[in-house]
Amino acid sequence: MATLHELVTPDSIRLDVSAGDWREAMRAAGALLVSAGVSDDSYTESMIRNVEENGPYIVVAPGIAFSHARDEDNVHRTGLSWVRLQEPVNFGHESNDPVVLVAALAARNSSAHIMATKQMAALLDDPEKREALRSAATPEDFRAALQ
């Protein structure tokens, strides 16, 4: 299984993105997956429906959302994108709002999803890594913080 660092390229990271709400933030992250050839637009809409139906459980740490959905033949390969928002948005999470970092994972199968989720948990458990993601000056610096 690829590491988080390997799943994301500098082209799948956007810093200081403007988003009016959580849906726009997720669409920005999903658009990066689409432009990288990882998934289709329908996958992005599935990620949004996932939150609408199940609530903001994807806001996994203070200020950080980890969006994903089930592959319904709309994921071409496993990949990850990241968006850092210019201004935080609320997802409706009781303790982890507002969100400034949105990761979008598209996984081809459940084992890839589980491995990426475990790696994400380890990353987010490290306060220094979280701060490096929040303060990265360039997509390359952001990607380096994922190692």
Side-chain angles (χ1 to χ4, degrees), residues 1-5 7 43 50 57-58 60-61 64-69 78-80 82 103-125:
M1 166 64 196
T3 65
L4 294 179
H5 180 262
L7 289 176
Y43 183 76
N50 189 30
Y57 77 95
I58 66 163
V60 294
I64 302 171
F66 181 44
S67 57
H68 54 273
T78 299
L80 182 66
W82 284 87
L105 172 68
R108 283 290 297 149
N109 56 52
S110 61
S111 64
H113 180 93
I114 291 167
M115 288 303 294
T117 300
K118 285 181 181 179
Q119 291 176 44
M120 184 68 73
L123 172 78
L124 298 180
D125 195 41

Side-chain angles (χ1 to χ4, degrees), residues 10-134:
D11 289 340
S12 58
I13 300 167
R14 289 286 182 272
L15 304 179
D16 304 322
V17 171
S18 179
D21 62 20
W22 66 267
R23 287 176 182 86
E24 285 183 25
M26 288 182 66
R27 283 192 178 100
L32 294 174
L33 294 174
V34 172
S35 67
V38 170
S39 65
D40 296 335
D41 286 324
S42 62
Y43 183 76
T44 302
E45 294 307 311
S46 293
M47 291 190 299
I48 291 169
R49 257 191 326 278
N50 189 30
V51 174
E52 290 171 342
E53 293 171 3
N54 300 303
Y57 77 95
I58 66 163
V59 183
V60 294
I64 302 171
F66 181 44
S67 57
H68 54 273
R70 189 172 307 278
D71 175 17
E72 297 171 349
D73 293 325
N74 50 9
V75 174
H76 309 297
R77 63 182 172 82
T78 299
L80 182 66
S81 69
W82 284 87
V83 168
R84 186 176 69 203
L85 301 172
Q86 187 173 32
E87 296 292 330
V89 298
N90 287 321
F91 276 67
H93 194 280
E94 200 170 291
S95 58
N96 290 334
D97 269 347
V99 169
V100 71
L101 293 171
V102 179
L105 172 68
R108 283 290 297 149
N109 56 52
S110 61
S111 64
H113 180 93
I114 291 167
M115 288 303 294
T117 300
K118 285 181 181 179
Q119 291 176 44
M120 184 68 73
L123 172 78
L124 298 180
D125 195 41
D126 184 334
E128 289 179 18
K129 293 279 188 182
R130 288 193 315 263
E131 183 52 34
L133 295 173
R134 286 186 176 105

